[in-house]
Amino acid sequence: MLINQSMNTATLNITASASVLAPSADLSSLTVVKVGGAEGIDLDAFCADAANVILAGTPLVIVHGGSHQTNVLSDALGHPPRFITSPSGHTSRRTDRRTLEIFQMACRGVLNQQIVERLQRHGVNAVGLSGMDGRTWEGQRKSAVRAVVNGRTVVIRDDFTGTVESVNTGLLRTLLNSELTPVLSPPAISAAPDHEPINVDADRAAAMTAVALGSDHLLLLSNVPGLLRAFPDESSLIPLVSRAELASAAAIAQGRMKKKILGAEEALAGGVARITIADARVSTPVSLALAGRGTVID
Amino acid sequence: MLINQSMNTATLNITASASVLAPSADLSSLTVVKVGGAEGIDLDAFCADAANVILAGTPLVIVHGGSHQTNVLSDALGHPPRFITSPSGHTSRRTDRRTLEIFQMACRGVLNQQIVERLQRHGVNAVGLSGMDGRTWEGQRKSAVRAVVNGRTVVIRDDFTGTVESVNTGLLRTLLNSELTPVLSPPAISAAPDHEPINVDADRAAAMTAVALGSDHLLLLSNVPGLLRAFPDESSLIPLVSRAELASAAAIAQGRMKKKILGAEEALAGGVARITIADARVSTPVSLALAGRGTVID
């Protein structure tokens, strides 16, 4: 109250009108949900279910990537997608400046606004953001990226990739408190003074966001039912992974799942109580993941 | 203060942290600036100058279109741009669903984030938005668009165009009060229950936004020095147009300038004291327009 009392009149008016919009924003159940943009994911079903969850009282921060859409657009624009594998076995998109621009078109221009449009249609007042907006995701652009090509490690210097190092939660909290639902996607922004867009892994960025917002629960939804003991055999789903079992889970994980397990590790280390890796290809993906379907890590 | 006192604890915490960010947001000089995306406009210069103006104490809401970028991308994707002329002589983009998607890529994915990136580099914490975000620009999709083709009037029914009918200022005010700079572009969103993206004229949408925010000053910057008595002769600039002279100004206006004069009329009618139509191709376009360079309408 001390701070409110010290505000000038102009600020007071605005603050009052913001709180009229949101007299009772209760963020105690705030959940961060990352959804993939891969083929097979029904965006309509995801958004309808997310809207139901939000309207029933669980505020969500929705995070998405745009890998599939970027691949399609890259091909259409004659700049085919390329991927690189790091010496530690992680795969990421080769992101030159043109790729970054195409990524922003696909991610920010298409998928982000498709999610916002659908949430609005279901009665949720959504706001699309990239990590650059409000400097929400701040990180460091890698000066050199190491990639394994034909068994040899090469160094790439014009790549616009990096890792989120800090989440500035001011904008997200302001929106959530006004009962607005943030829909957030890469790129992130590199630190001052350069402030360039950087492609970051959306699973790990979602994990960082859950940590920064003090969220108890992180959902990582994609086109697999969870962590599989024998990928791609979906009947080999591991329903529960304890903190102590995470290292062996990381050893089992294949491809994109490696980043999800890494994100889960970072989220747990940062105080998030539970991470659920679950299927986005079902009719109510958010509700089912909240209820514990998938691989629960805690 | 009454409303603040009635808030619950969760809300109070957030409000307090938002006001720490913005202890003294003074919105009395708030100005809405529309900048075109046409060739010849130096985005670096525009953003550097806008940042200077903001950091010197004049909060801005920046509105932009993306016509030029949409044309380039439409050609690259094999869906060339088409334009239609209404019976009253206004030109607008033929916007089928694919064009709308390309428009969102160009406008939201590219130009919007280019502006945000540059403002961030100049120390301004910007947030990119479309009119769909927060339902900021709500309107009605036209069920039928009339166009003159070879001298005959035809009716087009699958066009995603419309006009902004109401500006929901909640999100804009929340951002401004947190010293965040909104960067806003079409599309708008059609009314419930459809909530579809609709292409709207960004000049007129900027005018509506200035009215809704109670802004005293609207700047419309593009690749002309202002209203020209004998377009395209730039030496025929009309420096001042009074309210009483607006009808004759509308008769002089050619092409895109017609929409700017229409926007100026709507802004004046809605209580905006002064509209300046000015050149975006100079090194300090915002400062010069604020100082009265261009065509001042009041």
Side-chain angles (χ1 to χ4, degrees):
Chain A
M1 288 309 287
L2 198 60
I3 292 159
N4 281 339
Q5 280 164 357
S6 73
M7 293 188 295
N8 68 23
T9 317
T11 309
L12 252 185
N13 285 341
I14 304 297
T15 306
S17 85
S19 43
V20 167
L21 284 174
S24 60
D26 174 5
L27 303 182
S28 60
S29 61
L30 177 68
T31 300
V32 175
V33 183
K34 156 72 185 356
V35 64
E39 282 182 293
I41 291 173
D42 181 345
L43 211 55
D44 286 324
F46 169 79
C47 291
D49 187 39
N52 280 340
V53 166
I54 293 164
L55 296 174
T58 300
L60 301 180
V61 171
I62 296 172
V63 175
H64 67 89
S67 227
H68 171 62
Q69 291 78 359
T70 302
N71 293 347
V72 171
L73 189 59
S74 293
D75 280 328
L77 289 170
H79 192 79
R82 289 173 293 162
F83 294 89
I84 53 181
T85 303
S86 73
S88 58
H90 289 287
T91 298
S92 60
R93 183 181 300 278
R94 170 76 174 95
T95 309
D96 55 21
R97 185 81 205 199
R98 176 64 177 156
T99 301
L100 184 76
E101 192 176 77
I102 295 170
F103 176 76
Q104 285 182 297
M105 288 180 201
C107 202
R108 192 81 189 85
V110 180
L111 186 57
N112 188 273
Q113 294 290 286
Q114 285 176 344
I115 295 174
V116 168
E117 176 183 346
R118 282 162 178 75
L119 289 173
Q120 292 288 6
R121 209 171 292 144
H122 289 288
V124 166
N125 201 352
V127 177
L129 302 171
S130 83
M132 298 178 68
D133 296 310
R135 292 200 287 276
T136 299
W137 285 342
E138 218 167 318
Q140 206 69 46
R141 183 181 161 196
K142 288 176 189 160
S143 58
V145 173
R146 281 167 208 286
V148 179
V149 178
N150 299 329
R152 284 182 51 222
T153 298
V154 298
V155 175
I156 299 167
R157 295 202 185 272
D158 67 338
D159 214 54
F160 284 82
T161 50
T163 307
V164 174
E165 287 171 0
S166 65
V167 178
N168 300 314
T169 59
L171 174 58
L172 295 176
R173 286 185 190 279
T174 299
L175 296 177
L176 289 163
N177 193 48
S178 296
E179 294 192 349
L180 294 160
T181 296
V183 181
L184 181 59
S185 73
I189 191 166
S190 70
D194 290 347
H195 279 327
E196 292 166 314
I198 44 174
N199 195 359
V200 295
D201 181 70
D203 286 309
R204 291 180 67 193
M208 291 281 290
T209 307
V211 169
L213 288 170
S215 174
D216 278 342
H217 201 173
L218 167 68
L219 312 182
L220 301 175
L221 309 182
S222 70
N223 58 349
V224 284
L227 177 63
L228 305 177
R229 190 171 301 280
F231 180 83
D233 174 9
E234 299 198 356
S235 71
S236 70
L237 175 74
I238 303 174
L240 212 66
V241 174
S242 72
R243 203 172 282 251
E245 296 164 328
L246 255 178
S248 49
I252 290 171
Q254 301 288 318
R256 290 284 318 148
M257 186 57 68
K258 285 178 191 292
K259 287 271 170 74
K260 292 186 199 298
I261 297 293
L262 189 55
E265 267 179 321
E266 290 166 342
L268 272 184
V272 176
R274 186 158 41 118
I275 298 94
T276 305
I277 301 177
D279 207 327
R281 301 166 302 175
V282 295
S283 60
T284 58
V286 183
S287 305
L288 285 173
L290 280 173
R293 174 89 81 94
T295 299
V296 175
I297 303 170
D298 61 7
Chain B
M1 287 310 285
L2 198 61
I3 292 159
N4 280 337
Q5 281 164 355
S6 73
M7 293 187 297
N8 67 25
T9 317
T11 310
L12 251 184
N13 285 342
I14 303 297
T15 304
S17 84
S19 45
V20 167
L21 284 173
S24 60
D26 175 5
L27 303 182
S28 61
S29 62
L30 177 68
T31 299
V32 175
V33 183
K34 157 72 187 355
V35 64
E39 282 181 292
I41 291 173
D42 181 345
L43 210 56
D44 286 323
F46 169 79
C47 292
D49 188 38
N52 280 339
V53 166
I54 293 164
L55 296 174
T58 300
L60 301 181
V61 171
I62 296 172
V63 175
H64 68 89
S67 227
H68 171 62
Q69 291 77 0
T70 303
N71 293 347
V72 171
L73 189 59
S74 293
D75 279 328
L77 289 170
H79 193 76
R82 289 173 293 161
F83 294 89
I84 53 181
T85 304
S86 73
S88 58
H90 289 289
T91 298
S92 59
R93 182 182 300 277
R94 171 77 175 93
T95 310
D96 54 20
R97 186 81 206 200
R98 177 63 176 155
T99 301
L100 184 76
E101 193 176 78
I102 294 170
F103 176 77
Q104 286 182 295
M105 288 179 201
C107 201
R108 193 82 191 83
V110 181
L111 187 56
N112 188 273
Q113 295 289 286
Q114 284 177 344
I115 295 175
V116 168
E117 176 183 345
R118 282 163 179 75
L119 288 174
Q120 293 287 6
R121 210 170 292 144
H122 290 289
V124 166
N125 201 351
V127 177
L129 301 171
S130 82
M132 298 178 66
D133 296 311
R135 291 198 289 277
T136 298
W137 285 343
E138 218 168 318
Q140 204 70 45
R141 183 181 161 196
K142 288 177 189 160
S143 57
V145 172
R146 280 166 210 287
V148 179
V149 179
N150 299 329
R152 284 181 52 221
T153 298
V154 299
V155 175
I156 299 167
R157 296 202 183 274
D158 67 337
D159 213 55
F160 284 80
T161 51
T163 308
V164 174
E165 288 171 359
S166 64
V167 178
N168 300 314
T169 58
L171 173 58
L172 295 177
R173 286 186 191 280
T174 300
L175 296 177
L176 288 164
N177 193 49
S178 298
E179 293 192 350
L180 294 160
T181 296
V183 181
L184 181 60
S185 73
I189 191 166
S190 70
D194 290 347
H195 279 326
E196 292 168 311
I198 45 175
N199 195 359
V200 296
D201 180 71
D203 286 309
R204 293 180 66 193
M208 291 280 291
T209 306
V211 170
L213 288 170
S215 174
D216 278 342
H217 201 174
L218 167 68
L219 312 182
L220 301 175
L221 309 182
S222 69
N223 58 348
V224 284
L227 177 63
L228 305 177
R229 192 171 299 282
F231 179 85
D233 174 8
E234 300 199 354
S235 71
S236 71
L237 175 74
I238 301 174
L240 211 66
V241 174
S242 72
R243 203 172 282 251
E245 296 164 327
L246 256 178
S248 50
I252 290 170
Q254 302 287 318
R256 290 285 318 149
M257 185 56 68
K258 285 179 191 292
K259 288 270 170 73
K260 293 186 198 299
I261 298 293
L262 189 56
E265 268 179 320
E266 290 167 342
L268 272 185
V272 177
R274 187 159 39 118
I275 298 94
T276 304
I277 301 177
D279 208 326
R281 299 165 305 175
V282 295
S283 60
T284 59
V286 182
S287 306
L288 284 173
L290 280 173
R293 174 88 81 94
T295 299
V296 175
I297 303 172
D298 60 7

